[in-house]
Amino acid sequence: LKLSAACTAVLFPVDRDRAQSVPGYSQLRLSYSTVHVFIVEAALSTEGNMEKGAHVWAVDNGGDDAWILCEVLSKTDSELRLKQCDKESNVFSRSRANATPSSSDSNNEAVEIRYEGVELANAKLSDAERAEGRDDDLITLPHLHEPAILHAIHERFSCGKIYTWTGPVLIAVNPFQRLPLYTNEILESYRQEGLLRSQNLGNGSGDQLGPHVYSIADQSYRQMMSEKRVSQSILISGESGAGKTESTKIVMLYLTTLGSSHHHVKGTQSTDGEPPSAHHSTLEDMSIMERVLQSNPILEAFGNARTLRNDNSSRFGKFIELGFSRGGALLGAKVQTYLLEKVRVGFHASGERNYHVFYQLLRGMTEDQKKRYGFHDGETHGLELANHYHMTGQGGAPQLREFTDEDGLKYTMKAMKALSWSEEKIEVVLKLVAGLIHLGQINFDSIESDGGQEVSVIQDETVLQNAATMLDVDTDKLKAALTERLMITRGEGITIQLSPERAVEARDALAKTMYGALFLWVVNEVNECIGWEDDKAVRSSVGVLDIFGFECFAINSFEQLCINFTNEALQQQFNKFIFKMEQAEYKAEQISWEFIEFPDNQDCLDTIQSKPNGILTMLDDECRLPKGSDRNWANRLYKQYVPDQQTESQNTRFLATPVQKSRAVFCVRHFAGVVQYTAETGFLEKNKDEIPLMAQNLFETAPGDLVKDMYTIQKKELEEKNVKSKDSGKGKPSKSKTVGMQFKEQLSDLMAKVETTEPHYIRCLKPNDAAKPKMLTRQRLTEQLRYGGVLEAVRVARMGFPVRLPHDAFFQRYRMLLPSTCEDDLPWNMEQNAPQELCIRLVELLLEEGQKQKREGKTSWKEDGIGRSERIRRMQAMPFPITFPKMDVQLGLTKVFMRKPPHDALEAHRIFHQTVSAIFLQSWIRGMQQRKRFLVTCEAALTIQRFYRGCVGRARWWKLREGEASGLLTKALRMLIYRRRFIRMKTGTVQYQALYRGHNTRRVIAATKIQTHGRMAKHHNAYLKLRSATIALQCLLRKRTARNVLLALKHEQKDIGKLQKNNEKLKTEMASLKAMLQAQAQGDKNRQENEKVIKQKQMQIGILEARIKQLEKELEKEREAVQKLEISVQAQKVQTERQLEELQSMRRHQRSASIQHDPERRLHKLSTSDQSSGIVDSATMDQIAERQALVAKLEEELEAERRFRREADGEIIKLRAQMSGVPLNDSDVDALVSQKLDQAGGKSVAVSVDGETNELDERQENSLVFLFLIPGVLILFFFGTLLCRRSMTRLLMMWLNHKMELGSFSSIIVDDNSAVI
């Protein structure tokens, strides 16, 4: 309960304030993140037995990743279902491989279940653990296998850590870039740490430095300087491009720095790894360190070349032995080389290069040197010299990425001068290199000899002469060496002419021989410069071996067989070294180890080198036969190892299928894998490597000293080897040495020398084939781990007791497996107890508990009387009981050594207990969380209910209040509507009665006037009676027409009256609505937002009003112009009337006489005169018509602007109505807009605020004006017919029509019940 309370206080931040008051909190010293990580890891950690959720590595079949990280989905006895972690859609299965007993104990029933291509994954390290260097040594990983090593190296490489320990082996990954790992400060820090460690003082800073090449070099130097004074050796291996040469330079730099510190040398290494510059005039002035470092550029120029995998690949193996005095001072060095790839001199593949010295000479020499060495740019036909010559242009002569050939020549010349080579010696060496280039340019033609055979002749004698001059040999003898072959038979010499093909082979063989001799001479000169003077002064040495790594190509030949043979021998030596280290540790811990067996590859070495049936031995025998061939040699191998239908030898090292036998192909099973060799690739020719007799004669009689010295050194080396073989052969005469025999002897000497030393190992790895930084190809790295023997080293180290834990770590890790054991039987801490005895007691109790579980079997979780924790434990899938032999767990003095099955069993039970504990904690915490969530939910439900009831009550009260207010508003509104309707009806009735009475009165007055004028007409003079009668007749006709018009107008008047009545009704309703809107708009909460919209509309109205004013001004101008025209027309009409009156007065007498006889003719003449008067004014009327058309257009625009303004006003009214909550239709809005416009223009009577007076509608006003105007016009028209002439009546009618067309009557208003035109 205290633990649960403390976990609650830790897990929940809300309870941390009260954490101090919780019992047990102070004892539970865990943070929130620590508890969370414990629960998650304990729940999901099932790596010990590949259960569901465990992370494993699976082989990536056909992929580039080699191994992929997966999660176990399910596990059965037959298969394992996996899911790729970074690609969840990739789900696959792995079948069960086999089941092997976990130990030799027959009583042990536990078996180790494995699945094909599946390995357990290690737990991911945290950043803090990486910072502590927990992954510096891969041996410390719980699960150490190929994918674990691959993943660890990949992770470290991604972080910029290129060095990693694997037990005693240092793994170095080539970064393909300059890293700040080799500065003087770092070198000094490793030197100080080594010095303090050698004096048992430890590191002064307290932090151990990480893995580095300096660590290996320092260990070798400190062990050499120990009391035993045992010589050391550092073996550096790896494939081409893995960084062996650079690692060798760094090791030599560190060792020479330590050895030169006793001479107080101040020159140190620069930060970029280049050797210090030579600034001494003589060899005696230079320090030994500088001389040793200056030898590297020379050896690289003559022994390194560009390959497809590396720009600076060493094409030879070298063992550099640094000699030290008793005080640790560096005395000198010696270089021994192995198996120079001389075949590259005559041929190299596309994309590769010959040795660097050829390109340095062709690209870096001056114009004067070109003339001296016989190189002319004009002969290349535009090509570069390196591309033109055969010896350098076969692969395209590509440039190097790290440095140029020009700079390379400068470094080489500088190093030669630093080693006190004279100018003459340098000139002779470069001249010989130029001669080899010219030698490669010699071509041959075919001619027929006297005997009818095809023989070769040299195409260009000039090229031959240049080659002989540069090589400093006789021209004729050089020609003979190229085109002839000398055979010695029974003491007599026979000269044979060579064919062109054989001549090319002889040329290449001569070039290879001369370059091989030149390389030996260069190495000898370097040894003379850097070697020690007195062998007795050398107390011990440190040897650095830069050897080629394991190679496996598409087509493997003699060179690959020798290289792989070397790696087999080194791996055998490495296995012995690891075995010795294991023996030493087991002896130190005093545990039994006699039964442990370690792997041995001696059978593979015997298959290659044993006599008389070894592969190389049979190759030497075939080379001695006169008609020996590659095919015969392959058949002998098949007959010896796989006779008849066999495909594998008895020792499983030699393999060949029938198809491979038909192709002369065989396979050898090396420690790194099976390699296929093709026999018909010149094995015999490469193994012979004999100097032709013609070439020997050429060298012996050469006038130049360099060629003689080269041949002497080569001959001396062969004689020394023959003497050794003669001594080993008990006085028998020695035969000529083949390359295989020489290589075996050199390798035997090397192994013998290495076995007398304490070895240190550096395995260089190449992350990718593109030589790009920060890129690692997992498949290529896996291959190199296999070929480099890293995995083999791990397997050797793990053959005994792979798991090793200190006593305290073992006890603290596995004490939890016995939770029910009391404190007295087995304490929980190791204080005041012997660690070894506690561990022994723990193992015994664990085995007893396992036997007890085995006897009881599986128990049921439904059993009564068990606790919650025990119930949860029984519900889980329990692992096998802990039963293993005691011999599988050995307790040493400081460590506990375990085999893998006991370790897996203990880990499985530990994970099981962690899982049960985690499930128990999770169940308790989940229950507490659910209880807390339930209480919070209940409180929230009550709060929501209270709030809801309050909202419902307030809503009901608000509805009642709204209903009461609605009733009051409805009553008031109805009262206002009926009151306004009554007032409007009363006012309309009074106005209608007034209009009707006025109309009747005016009719009576008009009738009286007519009667008066009628009576006056009756008493007119007698002579006018006839005329008056005629006029009266005409008037009666016109009166009848006018009466009809009057009747029609009366009919229209009745319709207008209805319209007026409807308008009055609408105005009454609109006024009531307006009052209601104003009352409701005062309480609107959204008035501010609507006011913004209204302001925008008012701004638009302002713009429209400005436009209307502008149009009105233009319209006024046009009207003024029309008025002027009308005035001018009126003046013309007046003048025309005067003329008509004068004309009528002149013809009056004639008419009066003629009317009685022909009245129709008179009327026709009068009408004709009227028409003539109208024609006079036609021109002026056209102008008036144009102006009127313009006025009409402006009026249309003005009307459109007014319509836009009306629409804007309508939108404002709608918005205000919405603000007030009153709906309005379009007719109501139009009525209110018209009313607003009338109020703005002052054209109607204003209505007071209290609604006592009402304004008149514009249509009502126009209709009233029309009612008053039409009778007046008719009266004037009637009296005009009586009193005026016909012409005046016509003009009056024309004026009225014109005014009505212009709409002038629309400007008539009603003011004080009077009509004004």
Side-chain angles (χ1 to χ4, degrees):
L1 292 178
K2 289 183 179 180
L3 177 63
S4 302
C7 287
T8 305
V10 172
L11 288 174
F12 294 95
V14 295
D15 297 330
R16 286 182 182 176
D17 297 337
R18 297 177 295 175
Q20 301 298 331
S21 61
V22 175
Y25 180 82
S26 58
Q27 288 78 11
L28 185 66
R29 298 175 181 177
L30 295 174
S31 63
Y32 171 73
S33 59
T34 306
V35 175
H36 181 267
V37 170
F38 165 72
I39 293 175
V40 172
E41 288 187 353
L44 299 180
S45 177
T46 55
E47 285 83 352
N49 48 6
M50 289 189 185
E51 295 297 334
K52 181 180 179 181
H55 288 83
V56 297
W57 292 101
V59 175
D60 186 14
N61 296 324
D64 297 333
D65 292 334
W67 295 85
I68 55 177
L69 185 63
C70 302
E71 180 182 353
V72 178
L73 297 179
S74 61
K75 175 186 175 181
T76 62
D77 294 337
S78 60
E79 68 175 5
L80 195 69
R81 190 163 181 81
L82 306 174
K83 177 183 69 176
Q84 188 173 347
C85 291
D86 55 352
K87 187 179 180 182
E88 296 184 357
S89 60
N90 186 16
V91 178
F92 54 94
S93 300
R94 287 286 187 267
S95 60
R96 181 172 175 177
N98 53 12
T100 58
S102 60
S103 66
S104 59
D105 190 2
S106 59
N107 297 327
N108 184 19
E109 297 179 359
V111 295
E112 182 181 1
I113 301 176
R114 299 186 60 83
Y115 297 88
E116 293 181 356
V118 180
E119 297 288 349
L120 289 169
N122 294 307
K124 186 176 181 180
L125 297 179
S126 63
D127 296 337
E129 291 174 338
R130 292 183 184 277
E132 294 175 1
R134 297 285 293 275
D135 58 344
D136 288 346
D137 194 348
L138 301 182
I139 291 295
T140 60
L141 296 177
H143 305 292
L144 189 61
H145 38 64
E146 180 178 310
I149 295 175
L150 176 64
H151 178 69
I153 294 175
H154 190 182
E155 291 294 321
R156 291 180 60 84
F157 181 78
S158 302
C159 300
K161 300 178 181 179
I162 62 174
Y163 295 112
T164 308
W165 290 113
T166 306
V169 182
L170 178 67
I171 297 177
V173 184
N174 191 350
F176 290 114
Q177 60 178 339
R178 295 289 181 182
L179 296 177
L181 300 177
Y182 315 104
T183 60
N184 292 332
E185 292 77 9
I186 296 178
L187 187 148
E188 184 63 22
S189 64
Y190 277 91
R191 189 188 70 81
Q192 291 179 1
E193 185 195 30
L195 181 61
L196 294 174
R197 188 175 60 251
S198 64
Q199 298 176 1
N200 297 323
L201 297 179
N203 192 353
S205 61
D207 297 330
Q208 186 177 2
L209 298 177
H212 200 283
V213 174
Y214 291 159
S215 300
I216 287 284
D218 189 84
Q219 289 177 12
S220 62
Y221 183 82
R222 304 301 172 187
Q223 293 179 12
M224 179 193 69
M225 295 300 297
S226 62
E227 296 180 358
K228 297 181 179 180
R229 296 285 179 172
V230 179
S231 296
Q232 308 291 312
S233 60
I234 301 175
L235 309 180
I236 304 174
S237 63
E239 70 173 34
S240 178
K244 300 187 300 298
T245 303
E246 293 298 324
S247 298
T248 303
K249 292 180 184 178
I250 298 170
V251 169
M252 291 178 59
L253 168 67
Y254 190 87
L255 293 175
T256 53
T257 301
L258 293 183
S260 301
S261 61
H262 297 273
H263 298 289
H264 305 286
V265 176
K266 297 181 180 180
T268 58
Q269 169 74 359
S270 59
T271 58
D272 58 353
E274 292 295 334
S277 61
H279 54 275
H280 304 279
S281 59
T282 62
L283 187 64
E284 289 75 10
D285 296 334
M286 293 180 60
S287 65
I288 300 176
M289 168 187 171
E290 292 176 343
R291 279 185 281 167
V292 172
L293 296 179
Q294 287 294 335
S295 64
N296 282 328
I298 301 175
L299 295 177
E300 288 182 6
F302 287 90
N304 290 19
R306 184 188 190 276
T307 63
L308 295 176
R309 295 184 176 182
N310 186 13
D311 279 0
N312 191 29
S313 175
S314 298
R315 307 316 299 163
F316 68 103
K318 60 177 178 288
F319 184 76
I320 305 174
E321 186 178 6
L322 302 176
F324 294 89
S325 64
R326 180 178 295 275
L330 179 64
L331 299 179
K334 289 184 180 180
V335 179
Q336 184 177 358
T337 61
Y338 303 94
L339 196 64
L340 176 69
E341 189 183 11
K342 293 185 289 185
V343 68
R344 182 172 291 272
V345 178
F347 171 77
H348 54 274
S350 176
E352 295 187 351
R353 300 201 327 175
N354 213 322
Y355 291 98
H356 291 331
V357 66
F358 295 112
Y359 301 92
Q360 292 176 1
L361 179 64
L362 292 176
R363 288 173 174 160
M365 60 183 174
T366 63
E367 294 296 331
D368 183 57
Q369 288 176 330
K370 288 182 181 179
K371 294 179 181 179
R372 293 203 310 266
Y373 301 151
F375 297 112
H376 304 286
D377 294 332
E379 298 177 354
T380 62
H381 304 288
L383 292 176
E384 186 190 12
L385 289 175
N387 283 305
H388 171 70
Y389 287 97
H390 171 74
M391 192 170 290
T392 58
Q394 299 178 43
Q399 295 282 354
L400 301 179
R401 284 168 285 194
E402 291 293 330
F403 56 89
T404 62
D405 293 313
E406 292 83 353
D407 296 336
L409 181 63
K410 294 179 182 179
Y411 293 147
T412 304
M413 297 283 289
K414 193 175 183 179
M416 291 178 177
K417 294 177 182 179
L419 296 182
S420 297
W421 287 18
S422 63
E423 294 290 342
E424 292 77 10
K425 183 184 292 187
I426 297 173
E427 179 69 17
V428 171
V429 172
L430 296 180
K431 190 176 178 181
L432 181 62
V433 173
L436 290 174
I437 296 175
H438 286 295
L439 181 63
Q441 289 299 106
I442 298 176
N443 295 321
F444 304 93
D445 289 335
S446 176
I447 63 174
E448 188 174 352
S449 64
D450 296 337
Q453 296 180 352
E454 184 183 11
V455 297
S456 61
V457 294
I458 296 176
Q459 288 183 357
D460 192 352
E461 296 290 339
T462 305
V463 178
L464 177 65
Q465 184 64 35
N466 290 335
T469 303
M470 295 298 106
L471 295 175
D472 202 4
V473 295
D474 185 76
T475 304
D476 296 334
K477 292 183 178 179
L478 176 60
K479 181 179 180 179
L482 296 176
T483 59
E484 298 176 359
R485 185 178 66 178
L486 180 63
M487 295 183 63
I488 304 297
T489 304
R490 297 179 182 180
E492 296 181 358
I494 301 175
T495 302
I496 301 175
Q497 296 292 329
L498 300 177
S499 63
E501 293 79 11
R502 294 293 180 182
V504 171
E505 295 177 358
R507 179 199 66 188
D508 294 341
L510 180 61
K512 291 188 292 183
T513 302
M514 293 194 70
Y515 190 81
L518 175 62
F519 183 75
L520 292 177
W521 180 86
V522 170
V523 173
N524 185 68
E525 290 293 323
V526 169
N527 286 331
E528 290 182 359
C529 294
I530 66 176
W532 53 80
E533 298 178 357
D534 187 6
D535 292 340
K536 296 180 179 180
V538 178
R539 182 64 179 83
S540 55
S541 63
V542 177
V544 181
L545 178 63
D546 179 7
I547 201 70
F548 13 68
F550 192 86
E551 291 186 355
C552 180
F553 302 125
I555 298 177
N556 300 285
S557 186
F558 177 74
E559 293 85 356
Q560 282 71 42
L561 180 61
C562 293
I563 290 172
N564 295 338
F565 172 49
T566 304
N567 284 272
E568 283 286 349
L570 292 174
Q571 186 64 34
Q572 176 71 0
Q573 189 275 336
F574 178 75
N575 292 343
K576 293 180 180 179
F577 170 72
I578 297 296
F579 181 66
K580 290 179 181 179
M581 289 184 62
E582 294 292 318
Q583 286 180 335
E585 185 172 7
Y586 295 159
K587 287 181 180 180
E589 292 290 336
Q590 297 181 4
I591 64 173
S592 59
W593 53 273
E594 289 80 2
F595 59 90
I596 300 175
E597 296 180 359
F598 285 91
D600 188 8
N601 60 339
Q602 185 62 43
D603 55 347
C604 184
L605 295 175
D606 295 339
T607 303
I608 297 175
Q609 68 174 357
S610 64
K611 294 181 180 181
N613 298 322
I615 296 176
L616 293 179
T617 304
M618 296 176 71
L619 179 63
D620 295 337
D621 295 341
E622 190 69 22
C623 290
R624 295 188 183 95
L625 297 177
K627 296 184 179 180
S629 64
D630 295 335
R631 169 63 71 171
N632 294 337
W633 171 63
N635 292 333
R636 291 181 60 190
L637 291 176
Y638 300 149
K639 185 177 180 180
Q640 175 64 32
Y641 290 102
V642 285
D644 300 331
Q645 300 297 324
Q646 293 184 14
T647 59
E648 189 176 55
S649 62
Q650 293 181 357
N651 59 1
T652 69
R653 294 293 184 175
F654 190 92
L655 304 92
T657 64
V659 177
Q660 291 176 341
K661 292 179 181 179
S662 64
R663 299 175 181 176
V665 175
F666 63 92
C667 299
V668 177
R669 191 188 304 278
H670 296 282
F671 71 95
V674 178
V675 181
Q676 177 178 297
Y677 298 96
T678 304
E680 294 180 339
T681 54
F683 266 79
L684 267 66
E685 291 295 331
K686 295 176 181 179
N687 189 41
K688 291 177 182 178
D689 196 23
E690 297 178 353
I691 302 176
L693 296 178
M694 300 297 292
Q696 294 180 14
N697 185 24
L698 176 68
F699 296 155
E700 291 174 354
T701 60
D705 295 334
L706 179 59
V707 177
K708 291 181 179 179
D709 293 342
M710 290 163 42
Y711 178 69
T712 302
I713 293 173
Q714 189 176 27
K715 188 175 180 181
K716 180 180 178 181
E717 184 178 0
L718 293 176
E719 288 177 355
E720 290 178 354
K721 293 178 180 178
N722 290 335
V723 170
K724 291 181 181 179
S725 62
K726 183 177 180 180
D727 294 339
S728 61
K730 300 179 181 180
K732 296 181 180 179
S734 61
K735 301 178 182 179
S736 59
K737 294 291 184 180
T738 62
V739 175
M741 295 174 66
Q742 298 174 20
F743 187 75
K744 286 190 292 184
E745 292 176 359
Q746 288 181 342
L747 186 59
S748 299
D749 295 341
L750 176 63
M751 291 296 102
K753 184 178 294 185
V754 170
E755 288 179 357
T756 59
T757 63
E758 290 185 359
H760 305 269
Y761 299 90
I762 299 177
R763 292 292 188 262
C764 298
L765 303 179
K766 186 177 181 181
N768 60 82
D769 291 332
K772 293 183 179 179
K774 298 180 180 180
M775 186 178 78
L776 188 142
T777 305
R778 297 172 66 92
Q779 185 66 38
R780 289 284 294 116
L781 196 66
T782 305
E783 295 174 358
Q784 294 176 70
L785 289 173
R786 295 170 183 170
Y787 298 161
V790 177
L791 300 180
E792 186 72 13
V794 173
R795 189 172 69 88
V796 170
R798 292 289 188 171
M799 282 295 292
F801 296 95
V803 182
R804 306 165 190 186
L805 294 175
H807 290 157
D808 55 349
F810 177 82
F811 187 81
Q812 292 175 4
R813 187 173 184 84
Y814 299 116
R815 175 60 179 87
M816 62 176 295
L817 301 183
L818 300 172
S820 59
T821 303
C822 62
E823 184 84 12
D824 297 335
D825 294 341
L826 187 65
W828 284 93
N829 53 56
M830 303 182 68
E831 297 178 358
Q832 299 178 356
N833 293 290
Q836 189 175 15
E837 294 178 0
L838 287 178
C839 293
I840 294 174
R841 180 60 179 166
L842 175 61
V843 172
E844 292 176 353
L845 292 177
L846 287 173
L847 292 176
E848 292 176 2
E849 184 69 19
Q851 293 295 335
K852 180 180 178 182
Q853 292 179 1
K854 186 176 180 181
R855 289 193 302 269
E856 293 179 355
K858 188 175 181 181
T859 56
S860 175
W861 61 273
K862 298 181 180 181
E863 182 180 347
D864 297 333
I866 60 176
R868 182 180 181 183
S869 177
E870 181 65 19
R871 192 180 304 277
I872 293 175
R873 190 182 70 84
R874 293 185 180 183
M875 292 175 67
Q876 306 304 315
M878 297 184 64
F880 289 107
I882 302 176
T883 56
F884 52 83
K886 289 185 178 181
M887 294 298 295
D888 287 355
V889 178
Q890 296 286 333
L891 283 87
L893 299 179
T894 60
K895 296 180 183 178
V896 177
F897 296 81
M898 291 185 292
R899 288 184 176 274
K900 195 172 187 307
H903 174 258
D904 292 344
L906 293 175
E907 284 295 318
H909 279 266
R910 181 175 180 271
I911 291 169
F912 172 75
H913 282 275
Q914 286 182 342
T915 304
V916 172
S917 301
I919 293 174
F920 178 75
L921 286 175
Q922 288 174 353
S923 63
W924 188 87
I925 292 173
R926 288 194 186 102
M928 186 186 64
Q929 289 176 344
Q930 292 297 328
R931 287 189 292 273
K932 183 177 179 180
R933 188 177 292 111
F934 173 75
L935 294 177
V936 172
T937 304
C938 291
E939 186 177 356
L942 293 175
T943 302
I944 293 173
Q945 289 175 358
R946 289 195 298 270
F947 179 75
Y948 176 74
R949 294 190 185 100
C951 290
V952 170
R954 285 188 293 271
R956 292 178 59 188
W957 173 78
W958 186 259
K959 288 183 178 180
L960 292 175
R961 186 179 177 184
E962 285 182 348
E964 186 69 20
S966 176
L968 293 175
L969 289 175
T970 303
K971 292 177 182 179
L973 181 62
R974 289 174 181 171
M975 181 270 292
L976 291 175
I977 291 173
Y978 283 109
R979 183 176 180 276
R980 183 164 295 181
R981 186 181 300 172
F982 171 75
I983 292 173
R984 288 188 178 183
M985 289 176 65
K986 179 181 178 181
T987 303
T989 302
V990 172
Q991 290 180 355
Y992 182 74
Q993 289 175 355
L995 290 174
Y996 182 74
R997 288 168 184 166
H999 176 65
N1000 289 336
T1001 303
R1002 284 189 291 275
R1003 288 187 64 186
V1004 172
I1005 294 172
T1008 302
K1009 288 182 180 180
I1010 291 171
Q1011 291 175 2
T1012 303
H1013 284 286
R1015 293 186 189 98
M1016 182 183 65
K1018 289 180 180 179
H1019 295 88
H1020 203 266
N1021 295 329
Y1023 69 95
L1024 294 177
K1025 286 184 180 180
L1026 182 58
R1027 189 186 63 179
S1028 297
T1030 304
I1031 291 173
L1033 181 61
Q1034 293 176 355
C1035 289
L1036 288 174
L1037 293 174
R1038 293 188 182 99
K1039 180 180 179 181
R1040 185 176 298 172
T1041 303
R1043 185 179 287 112
N1044 294 331
V1045 173
L1046 181 60
L1047 292 174
L1049 292 175
K1050 286 182 178 181
H1051 186 268
E1052 291 176 0
Q1053 182 181 2
K1054 294 179 180 179
D1055 296 334
I1056 291 172
K1058 293 180 180 179
L1059 180 61
Q1060 180 182 2
K1061 195 173 182 180
N1062 294 331
N1063 290 337
E1064 290 295 333
K1065 185 177 180 180
L1066 291 174
K1067 285 185 178 181
T1068 304
E1069 294 178 356
M1070 289 170 60
S1072 63
L1073 291 174
K1074 182 177 181 182
M1076 181 181 67
L1077 293 175
Q1078 291 178 354
Q1080 292 183 355
Q1082 294 177 357
D1084 195 353
K1085 295 181 181 180
N1086 299 326
R1087 179 173 298 172
Q1088 294 181 356
E1089 297 180 356
N1090 293 332
E1091 285 296 335
K1092 292 181 181 180
V1093 181
I1094 292 172
K1095 286 180 180 180
Q1096 294 178 358
K1097 296 298 180 179
Q1098 288 178 350
M1099 291 176 64
Q1100 295 179 1
I1101 291 172
I1103 296 171
L1104 293 174
E1105 287 178 352
R1107 176 63 178 164
I1108 289 170
K1109 289 180 180 179
Q1110 182 180 359
L1111 292 175
E1112 286 178 350
K1113 288 180 181 180
E1114 294 178 359
L1115 183 60
E1116 188 65 23
K1117 290 180 181 179
E1118 294 297 331
R1119 284 178 177 174
E1120 289 176 0
V1122 173
Q1123 187 174 4
K1124 290 179 181 179
L1125 291 175
E1126 288 177 352
I1127 293 171
S1128 63
V1129 171
Q1130 188 68 25
Q1132 291 178 2
K1133 288 181 179 180
V1134 172
Q1135 185 179 359
T1136 303
E1137 287 176 357
R1138 291 178 181 176
Q1139 291 177 0
L1140 288 174
E1141 288 177 355
E1142 290 176 357
L1143 182 61
Q1144 288 177 0
S1145 63
M1146 290 174 62
R1147 295 180 180 178
R1148 186 174 298 169
H1149 298 286
Q1150 296 177 0
R1151 289 183 198 175
S1152 60
S1154 60
I1155 284 175
Q1156 298 176 359
H1157 301 284
D1158 196 359
E1160 297 178 356
R1161 182 179 179 185
R1162 177 176 175 271
L1163 292 172
H1164 178 70
K1165 288 182 179 181
L1166 288 174
S1167 62
T1168 302
S1169 63
D1170 294 339
Q1171 292 176 359
S1172 63
S1173 64
I1175 294 172
V1176 175
D1177 300 332
S1178 61
T1180 306
M1181 293 301 293
D1182 293 336
Q1183 296 179 359
I1184 293 173
E1186 293 176 358
R1187 290 290 183 174
Q1188 289 176 352
L1190 182 58
V1191 170
K1193 183 177 181 182
L1194 292 173
E1195 288 177 348
E1196 290 178 359
E1197 293 180 0
L1198 182 60
E1199 186 64 22
E1201 296 295 336
R1202 287 174 177 171
R1203 185 171 60 256
F1204 293 152
R1205 180 189 172 183
R1206 184 184 297 272
E1207 292 176 356
D1209 289 337
E1211 291 179 0
I1212 292 174
I1213 291 171
K1214 284 183 178 181
L1215 289 173
R1216 289 179 174 171
Q1218 291 177 1
M1219 291 168 58
S1220 302
V1222 178
L1224 293 178
N1225 53 22
D1226 295 336
S1227 61
D1228 297 338
V1229 173
D1230 293 338
L1232 293 174
V1233 169
S1234 300
Q1235 184 179 1
K1236 182 177 179 182
L1237 293 176
D1238 294 341
Q1239 290 176 358
K1243 296 180 182 180
S1244 60
V1245 181
V1247 181
S1248 60
V1249 179
D1250 54 0
E1252 293 179 359
T1253 61
N1254 298 321
E1255 65 180 10
L1256 297 177
D1257 186 61
E1258 185 178 358
R1259 293 184 179 178
Q1260 184 178 2
E1261 292 170 0
N1262 292 335
S1263 63
L1264 292 175
V1265 170
F1266 189 79
L1267 291 175
F1268 280 100
L1269 179 60
I1270 296 304
V1273 172
L1274 293 175
I1275 294 169
L1276 290 176
F1277 178 77
F1278 182 76
F1279 279 98
T1281 55
L1282 297 177
L1283 300 176
C1284 302
R1285 292 181 179 271
R1286 183 178 180 182
S1287 61
M1288 294 298 293
T1289 304
R1290 185 177 181 85
L1291 289 174
L1292 179 60
M1293 294 299 295
M1294 292 175 61
W1295 179 80
L1296 289 173
N1297 292 330
H1298 176 64
K1299 288 298 183 180
M1300 292 183 71
E1301 290 175 358
L1302 295 177
S1304 299
F1305 293 151
S1306 62
S1307 63
I1308 300 173
I1309 63 174
V1310 177
D1311 191 8
D1312 297 335
N1313 296 327
S1314 62
V1316 180
I1317 299 178

